[in-house]
Structures are given as C-alpha cells and as structure tokens.
Amino acid sequence: MPFAQLVIGPPGSGKSTYCDGMHQFMSAIGRKCSVVNLDPANDHTSYPCALDIRDLVALETIMADEELGPNGGVLYALEELEHNIEWLQKGLDGLGEDYVLFDCPGQVELFTHHTSLRNIFFRIQKMGYRLVALHLIDSYCLTLPSLYISTLLLSLRSMLQMDLPHFNVLTKIDKIASYGPLPFDLEFYTEVQDLPDIVPHLLEESPMMRHPKFEGLNNAVIELVENFGLVGFETLAVEDKKSMMTLLHSIDRAGGYAFGGAEGANDTVWQVAVRDGMRTMNVRDVQERWIDRKDEFDEMERKQLEEEVKAHEAPSLTDDGGEEVEDSDIEEMRRHTPDSGIKVVRRP
C-alpha cells in the first residue's frame, strides 16, 4: 500500500521548498520517494518531478485559450485534471510503491471551498494510497494577532474541507526570531489554547480593532475555533534535520506508515530513528533552539560543522579496522536506538 503527502497552503508558505527538502531527506534515509507537481503555474521545479500536471495542461495555454486570469486558469486546470483522472492514475501506477509528495497550487479556494482538489484526493485514495494532508503556513503569521486569527480560521476551514488526516505546519520557524519578540511563548500558538488572551493584543494592533463590530467578530471566530477543538500546529525548519525528522515521524504515525519495498531487512540507522522518533523535538525544544538561544545554537552548529569538515579532510579518515568513521548524529543514534525487532542485513 503506497503512502503520500498532500502539500497545500497559501502562496509563499514554502510548499515547493518543503517538497524538495523532504525528497532529499527521504532519499538520505533510504525511503523511495517521488514528487508530483499539481500546480499548472509551476514551470520550474527545484525537485526532480516524477509527474507534472503541465504535461496535461499548462496555465498559460488555458489563459490564452479560455481568456481567464491566473486564478481562474488554475481552477480550470484542476477541473481538467479531475475530468482526466485516468492520466494521473496511469502516471502513479508507474511509480510503484514509492512514497509520493503532491505539490499543490497555492490558491486557498482550492482547499477551502472548491471541490476539484478534494475530489482528486479522494480518487487518489481509492487507488490505494494512504494520504496525509499538510497545510503549510508561513510562521510570520504569529507576529500579528489579526493574522494569526485569520490563519486559525483558514486552517480550520481546510481541515473540514479536506476531511483527511491533517497537519497544520508553521514553516520557516528558523526565521521567527528575526521578526521581533512575540507576546506569548511558541506553545501558546501551536497548542491553540486560551485564545481569549490574545484579544487585548489584537486591540492594540490597530484602532480599527477597537470598534464594537470587530470585537464581536473576533470573539465569534475565537469561540468557533475553540468549539471545534481541531486546530493545532507543528513547526518546521526545512534545513534542520531534527525538525524534518520530528515532522516526518508525526506524519508516519498519522498515516499508519509501515515499511514498504524500499525498507525492511536492510533498515538503516536513520530509518529506525525516524520510525521510533529518536531525538525528536517538542515545542519547548523549538522555542529554545530558534527563539531563546538561537545565536548560541547557531554558533555551536557552526563549530560542529567545521570540526566535521576537518575530520573528513584529515588523512586518518578510518579507524584501526579500516572502516569509515560514522557521522556524529548517526553514531549517537546507533548507540541509543532501541532494538527494532528487524535483523539488519548489510549488502557486501
């Protein structure tokens, strides 16, 4: 049974960057992975594209032939894909049991109220895929109370629309410290609790927010989000392997991931670590790493990288037995990784 991630989110949230980074990360841990581009406007992907919607329909062609703007053209393209789903099924059949990342367009109406994308996902599900939806949001939304409340509403609506195992992910968390201090700890935003506490900061944001009708609207939105009790956030720094591992571990648990054709008897240390959640980060770890002590951790990692480069450049790259010295992270995981119950067989 193949598995897949459906990567959605507004423009600029880092969907293509995430697909590129996760493809590289999965390749590093030995998991076969393919990326499918479902954005007809994306004519230059940074990742190797196994299947591209532009081979079926291109945005510029639609705009010219149907006299539509960019947003209307994207909607038209997704409707065209929905009516030609056999093209997508044939392409996915060629990927076998690969883990698939679907890079989706950024128009929010596609995952809030337009039905084509949801119908495509359901058809993919009927093909036997175990799907997890990833809704990416730029962590800049935490800097303004009004923007955060809007993000809550958008996240809730996308969860209800997609009707799938779902994660809301605050991307670019490694940049959050550069935006200035936040009024609350990161845990307040990720756990989405005690939302009425944000109202005073919302009133300070703009004199307009002090108008009674806006106050009533904001309180209604907060009450709505709290009553559903669905919205929460993960965090991600796509260039940080611990952050990627933490997120992938959560996705694997939500999707019921089991070892596929690329894994099993030849299980690597990284594969065991990801499956068992070794060295994953909770929100307090993220707060410390990227907000409270960012400069200190950056300096530590810089020195560690320099030492690793020097060690690899040194003439004695092997131990007494002639074997290569392990990467420090993998070596530590090897010492602490619990027994997976799988006999590891190394190919000669």
Side-chain angles (χ1 to χ4, degrees), residues 51-320:
L51 193 61
D52 194 342
I53 189 178
R54 291 178 59 84
D55 294 335
L56 174 69
V57 58
L59 178 62
E60 54 270 20
T61 303
I62 295 174
M63 292 173 61
D65 293 348
E66 304 296 332
E67 298 183 352
L68 294 171
N71 288 344
V74 171
L75 296 179
Y76 187 99
L78 268 293
E79 292 173 355
E80 187 76 12
L81 177 60
E82 181 186 0
H83 290 110
N84 292 275
I85 197 68
E86 295 79 12
W87 174 86
L88 180 61
Q89 182 171 0
K90 182 179 179 181
L92 292 176
D93 288 343
L95 300 181
E97 294 292 314
D98 284 12
Y99 195 113
V100 180
L101 306 174
F102 289 93
D103 187 6
C104 299
Q107 278 74 5
V108 296
E109 56 266 34
L110 287 170
F111 49 88
T112 57
H113 60 272
H114 195 268
T115 59
S116 287
L117 191 61
R118 183 180 66 171
N119 292 340
I120 292 169
F121 290 167
F122 288 165
R123 291 292 297 273
I124 294 173
Q125 202 170 32
K126 289 183 178 180
M127 297 174 197
Y129 279 86
R130 297 288 296 272
L131 304 179
V132 176
L134 249 65
H135 180 214
L136 306 188
I137 308 105
D138 193 328
S139 60
Y140 182 79
C141 71
L142 307 184
T143 61
L144 294 174
S146 60
L147 191 54
Y148 177 65
I149 290 178
S150 299
T151 299
L152 292 176
L153 198 57
L154 176 62
S155 300
L156 176 60
R157 186 66 191 97
S158 66
M159 295 179 77
L160 298 176
Q161 174 77 359
M162 293 295 99
D163 196 23
L164 290 165
H166 189 108
F167 286 94
N168 300 302
V169 183
L170 295 170
T171 61
K172 310 175 188 178
I173 201 66
D174 49 328
K175 308 295 184 184
I176 191 68
S178 64
Y179 302 145
L182 300 174
F184 302 99
D185 286 345
L186 192 59
E187 188 174 10
F188 172 87
Y189 300 98
T190 58
E191 298 302 318
V192 193
Q193 296 179 354
D194 303 318
L195 282 180
D197 292 348
I198 205 172
V199 173
H201 299 277
L202 185 64
L203 299 179
E204 294 175 2
E205 181 183 325
S206 170
M208 184 185 302
M209 296 297 177
R210 299 189 182 98
H211 194 284
K213 67 177 182 180
F214 283 105
E215 183 179 358
L217 176 61
N218 291 324
N219 288 330
V221 171
I222 287 173
E223 184 179 358
L224 177 69
V225 173
E226 288 189 324
N227 287 344
F228 271 97
L230 295 175
V231 182
F233 296 96
E234 302 291 326
T235 61
L236 177 66
V238 75
E239 295 182 355
D240 184 74
K241 56 189 173 185
K242 294 180 185 177
S243 182
M244 291 287 278
M245 186 195 301
T246 300
L247 181 60
L248 183 57
H249 177 64
S250 298
I251 295 170
D252 285 349
R253 292 180 61 187
Y257 179 81
F259 288 124
E263 301 176 59
N266 292 299
D267 200 21
T268 68
V269 175
W270 272 101
Q271 290 164 346
V272 174
V274 171
R275 188 188 71 244
D276 294 336
M278 274 293 296
R279 295 185 61 177
T280 55
M281 302 174 70
N282 59 37
V283 66
R284 294 183 179 86
D285 296 327
V286 177
Q287 170 87 27
E288 182 181 32
R289 170 62 184 91
W290 299 114
I291 300 178
D292 296 341
R293 300 172 57 196
K294 181 180 185 301
D295 292 340
E296 182 179 344
F297 273 95
D298 285 346
E299 180 65 18
M300 290 170 55
E301 290 186 358
R302 185 188 64 80
K303 291 181 178 179
Q304 181 181 0
L305 181 60
E306 290 179 352
E307 292 175 357
E308 290 177 356
V309 170
K310 291 179 180 178
H312 284 287
E313 291 177 348
S316 56
L317 291 178
T318 59
D319 57 17
D320 294 338

Side-chain angles (χ1 to χ4, degrees), residues 31-50:
R31 186 182 299 188
K32 289 184 178 180
C33 176
S34 296
V35 187
V36 173
N37 177 36
L38 293 184
D39 186 355
N42 188 359
D43 59 352
H44 182 69
T45 58
S46 56
Y47 47 77
C49 194

